Amino acid sequence: MDIEIKLPDIGIDQAEVIDILVNVNDVVQKEQILMIIEGDKASMEIPSIHDGIIKEIKVKITDIVRKDSIIFIMEITKNTTLSPDNIIDNTMLKCDHTESLFYASPLVRRLARSLEIDLKNIIGSGRKNRIIKKDLDNYIIQNNILDHHTKSSKSQDNIIEDFDFSRYGKVDQINLSKIKQISGNLLSKNWSNIPHVTQFDYVDITDLESFRAKYNKTFINSKKIKITLLSFIVKAVVRGLEKFPYFNSTISVKNKIIFLKKYINIGIAVDTDHGLLVPVIKDVKNKNLSDISNEIFKKSQDARKGKLKISDFQGGCFTISSLGGIGGTFFTPIINSNEAAILGVSKFSYKPIWNGDSFIPKLILPLSLSYDHRIIDGAEGARFITFLNQLLSDTRLLLT
Ligand code: CAO
């Protein structure tokens, strides 16, 4: 039976959806956190009040929701006992203890989860029986819970959240920007859910950079937009994705399927004052170096001015993160969900390379390729980065 899941009375007029923690077809359990919303002063996790399957997600991140906004359609699984409150009407999801939906701040929920405390064992003393930190602390003391957890790594997080660093010196407290909150959640989810392997390589781009410099001097277009190193890397990646289709795929573990995409859209990580954004350059197969350079330039400008639309972030197949203009040698980029790999580009520099007779200076570009080991094995990863290396170190191969 499908039912509408409505937002319960959260004690404020409206709130913004800042994270959705489930996908369509996910099997969820009662009390599992489904989404996080944020009002003017606080954020709140919205748990499921049923065991079931998510059939439809009726909201998206940044949507404003109010009491009784329909947030999900859920199929109630067999074992759930339906009460009149479960049926579609405005009494659904009332916050009371018989429905096991507890008022508690995300901090309290996190602390309780990390100490494996079931909130239904605690009687809240706050407004509307809200379980406040003091209730949790009392429960922990009464039940000697910390004694059992002091050595666990999970409790380290709680110690940091509650730790008073000002004991040791002056401390500034900075609120996380919305972008950092959202990207932080995604990054930690991707980092912990996807088994990453990162393969490194040095690429000799001496000829490529000399070709690019000559080209830019001779053919710079009327808008004075140069062709960039990044656009050549995009072109090499396109060829790589065509030759190694599993790098252009998405895995569905639940359905035991890998989707191989026939289109190629490349996400470009852009550093902005508010955090990392990844606009997507669409249909790169049919764009030339100049088009790609212009589009990366325009999208990165728009990202920094906050002018990108939601559609600019959608449909990515593979991401490139270039820190080359900044510095560093090699890093371990994190794969975006729905993608199989990401290429990190670091700062090129001259290195002495032995040619059999003597050392000669060559311009060397460090590349770092992270891939999803569920989809791609080590040999395929090495073949992919070697192929990129061949293309970028021989401009004739890349441009034919
Ligand atoms: N090595 C050394 N110098 C490099 C370089 C490299 N790999 N790549 C670019 N440069 C230098 C060059 O001097 C270049 O100028 P010329 O083209 O005239 O030689 C200059 O940097 C600017 O390069 P560009 O215009 O091609 O810009 P870019 O490709 O370096 O970067 C963009 C564009 C949007 C990717 C970048 O501005 C950016 O935001 N990078 C950060 C991405 C990021 O934060 N990733 C981290 C994600 S994980 O947290």
Side-chain angles (χ1 to χ4, degrees), residues 212 226 228-230 268-271 276 300 304 321-325 345-348 365:
R212 191 172 74 89
K226 60 187 184 191
T228 62
L229 173 59
L230 195 50
I268 302 290
V270 178
D271 175 41
L276 178 70
S300 59
R304 287 176 181 130
S321 174
S322 173
L323 295 173
V345 179
S346 296
K347 190 178 175 65
F348 58 67
L365 177 74

